[in-house]
Amino acid sequence: MKKNDIPDIIISRLPIYLRALRYMQDQQKETTSSQELGEHVGLSAAQIRKDLSQFGGFGKQGTGYNIRFLVENLREIMKVDRVWDVAVVGMGDMGHALTRYQGFTDRGFRVSMVFDNDQRKVGTSVEHFLVQDIHNIVPAIRGSGIKVAMLCVPAASAQQVTDLLVEAGIKAILNYAPISLSVPSGIRVQYLDPSIGLQRMTYYLD
Amino acid sequence: MKKNDIPDIIISRLPIYLRALRYMQDQQKETTSSQELGEHVGLSAAQIRKDLSQFGGFGKQGTGYNIRFLVENLREIMKVDRVWDVAVVGMGDMGHALTRYQGFTDRGFRVSMVFDNDQRKVGTSVEHFLVQDIHNIVPAIRGSGIKVAMLCVPAASAQQVTDLLVEAGIKAILNYAPISLSVPSGIRVQYLDPSIGLQRMTYYLD
């Protein structure tokens, strides 16, 4: 099946399924149903079945899903059955927090380079990483072959730094800066903007 | 129109539209089109028109949208034409970063209380906030009337703290812990899990 055959919205739900299934594994569960998985992630059983059928199913009518089998397949589909090196750009509070974040373990990612433009930070250490000068970011990332970056610079410089990341060969950017980024086609951006997360809920509040 | 008439997926896109429109305002633009807005946010013009038509439109055929008018309306719809007080729970790296985060200004939120369970942190200051003891979280939040919380505790205690937040009257939780939370109906949870953001992109990488 070609990549483009599967809608982005379905791909965007797979990591949610994987997180819920890993949680079930931690609870020593071995099988689950589309009903149960749906309750975990707030979707209907029909939606779960429809999404997973895009990849050929994984379950048998009546017996449900083998969790370990489904986890292995989802990890392979999302290509997180390997470990991706990630560059963190901007060593402010958020960049620091991400560099020290323990939650990437076993989920397909590890921080492997960190950058800042502040000469007082360049050359110092964050965790066991040497903070590199953002002025060298293009050759540094190109040389490493890193494809994934987390962008934690202020909004005012986020687009400029993004252009450098694209030039450096980065294909996937997790953006913490609270602005929309402009990137060439073929480059993926995901936004982790806390205001967006909060604004998605206030609509429902009294 | 009743709340439940509008699909969650549409509500979840409104903050993205708002961010793009605010960006256009910063660029001194006064009008935009569904085409242009769509390009900004990676959706089709038809989708934009369809989403906004749920609220009665806002644009005239041929003349496009008045940005300021659309911004004002979206802010009102999402109820971010006011300022929501937010509790930050867990003063690790992420909680610190969020407490100091400058990106909430003018987007409808302000941190107003911070909590931790570590007695070495309780009573100290983060920014100008006194770190309060998590053991007092239920009366403290109840007394304040705060409805929104950001959860930055480790995964292992996230569910237990969530139960306290629900008991305290919190209705909307922005969850940074990398686990799925179980909450009663009527309580909203949004996940800001960097691994999920990254996993949504690796599928497309070679």
Side-chain angles (χ1 to χ4, degrees):
Chain A
M1 179 174 281
K2 277 182 298 171
K3 299 242 131 144
N4 296 336
D5 288 352
I6 299 178
D8 284 0
I9 186 75
I10 293 179
I11 300 302
S12 78
R13 284 194 285 261
L14 299 183
I16 311 285
Y17 299 162
L18 180 60
R19 181 173 59 198
L21 291 162
R22 296 299 283 265
Y23 175 80
M24 291 179 191
Q25 279 188 312
D26 288 345
Q27 310 291 309
Q28 318 300 331
K29 286 182 65 76
E30 290 182 4
T31 59
T32 187
S33 61
S34 50
Q35 181 69 37
E36 185 182 51
L37 183 53
E39 281 166 16
H40 259 273
V41 301
L43 291 168
S44 70
Q47 184 72 66
I48 304 274
R49 283 193 300 270
K50 198 177 150 199
D51 284 1
L52 295 180
S53 74
Q54 295 276 342
F55 306 96
F58 303 121
K60 275 182 237 155
Q61 191 69 36
T63 62
Y65 301 106
N66 177 291
I67 293 174
R68 198 172 73 162
F69 180 71
L70 188 48
V71 163
E72 280 171 11
N73 276 277
L74 287 176
R75 292 180 70 213
E76 198 177 318
I77 290 166
M78 286 185 271
K79 299 185 185 156
V80 291
D81 53 347
R82 64 209 75 174
V83 177
W84 296 86
D85 286 310
V86 179
V88 183
V89 188
M91 281 294 112
D93 287 319
M94 196 61 78
H96 257 97
L98 287 168
T99 303
R100 294 161 50 96
Y101 184 62
Q102 302 299 309
F104 294 128
T105 309
D106 204 30
R107 298 185 71 191
F109 307 95
R110 75 172 157 229
V111 172
S112 67
M113 279 189 175
V114 308
F115 295 90
D116 202 280
N117 72 338
D118 183 341
Q119 294 306 315
R120 289 166 298 184
K121 292 181 181 172
V122 170
T124 66
S125 289
V126 174
E127 290 290 282
H128 57 287
F129 301 102
L130 191 71
V131 179
Q132 299 189 55
D133 193 331
I134 209 164
H135 295 103
N136 298 327
I137 197 168
V138 174
I141 289 182
R142 269 212 191 128
S144 70
I146 292 178
K147 299 290 176 216
V148 181
M150 297 194 284
L151 184 62
C152 310
V153 303
S157 51
Q159 184 61 54
Q160 191 188 346
V161 174
T162 296
D163 296 343
L164 292 174
L165 292 174
V166 170
E167 189 185 341
I170 290 289
K171 301 292 183 199
I173 299 171
L174 191 64
N175 177 28
Y176 282 80
I179 67 158
S180 295
L181 299 176
S182 169
V183 291
S185 76
I187 313 290
R188 295 265 156 187
V189 180
Q190 284 278 321
Y191 295 86
L192 258 79
D193 178 340
S195 298
I196 297 277
L198 293 170
Q199 288 177 349
R200 283 180 172 152
M201 300 188 284
T202 45
Y203 171 81
Y204 301 96
L205 301 184
D206 297 321
Chain B
M1 180 175 278
K2 278 182 299 173
K3 297 241 132 142
N4 296 336
D5 289 352
I6 299 177
D8 284 0
I9 186 75
I10 293 179
I11 300 302
S12 78
R13 284 194 285 261
L14 299 184
I16 310 285
Y17 299 161
L18 180 60
R19 181 173 59 198
L21 292 162
R22 298 298 285 264
Y23 176 80
M24 291 178 190
Q25 279 188 312
D26 288 344
Q27 310 291 309
Q28 319 299 330
K29 286 180 66 75
E30 291 181 4
T31 58
T32 188
S33 61
S34 51
Q35 181 70 36
E36 185 182 51
L37 183 53
E39 281 166 16
H40 259 271
V41 301
L43 291 167
S44 69
Q47 184 72 65
I48 304 276
R49 283 194 299 270
K50 198 175 151 200
D51 284 1
L52 295 180
S53 73
Q54 296 276 342
F55 307 95
F58 303 121
K60 274 182 239 155
Q61 191 69 36
T63 62
Y65 301 105
N66 177 292
I67 293 174
R68 199 173 71 162
F69 180 72
L70 188 48
V71 163
E72 280 171 11
N73 276 276
L74 287 177
R75 291 180 70 214
E76 198 177 318
I77 291 166
M78 286 186 271
K79 299 184 185 157
V80 293
D81 53 348
R82 63 209 77 173
V83 177
W84 296 85
D85 285 311
V86 180
V88 183
V89 188
M91 280 295 112
D93 288 320
M94 195 62 77
H96 256 98
L98 287 168
T99 303
R100 294 160 49 95
Y101 185 62
Q102 301 300 309
F104 294 127
T105 309
D106 204 31
R107 298 185 71 190
F109 307 95
R110 75 173 158 227
V111 172
S112 67
M113 280 190 174
V114 308
F115 295 90
D116 203 279
N117 71 339
D118 183 340
Q119 294 305 317
R120 289 166 300 184
K121 291 182 183 172
V122 171
T124 65
S125 289
V126 173
E127 290 291 282
H128 56 286
F129 301 102
L130 192 71
V131 179
Q132 299 189 57
D133 193 332
I134 208 164
H135 296 101
N136 299 327
I137 198 168
V138 174
I141 289 182
R142 271 213 191 126
S144 70
I146 293 178
K147 298 290 177 217
V148 182
M150 297 196 284
L151 184 62
C152 310
V153 303
S157 50
Q159 184 60 55
Q160 191 189 345
V161 174
T162 297
D163 296 344
L164 292 174
L165 291 174
V166 171
E167 189 185 340
I170 290 289
K171 301 293 183 198
I173 299 171
L174 190 65
N175 176 30
Y176 283 80
I179 68 158
S180 294
L181 298 177
S182 170
V183 291
S185 76
I187 313 290
R188 294 266 156 186
V189 180
Q190 285 277 322
Y191 295 85
L192 257 80
D193 178 340
S195 297
I196 297 277
L198 294 170
Q199 289 178 349
R200 283 180 171 153
M201 300 188 284
T202 46
Y203 170 82
Y204 301 96
L205 300 184
D206 298 319

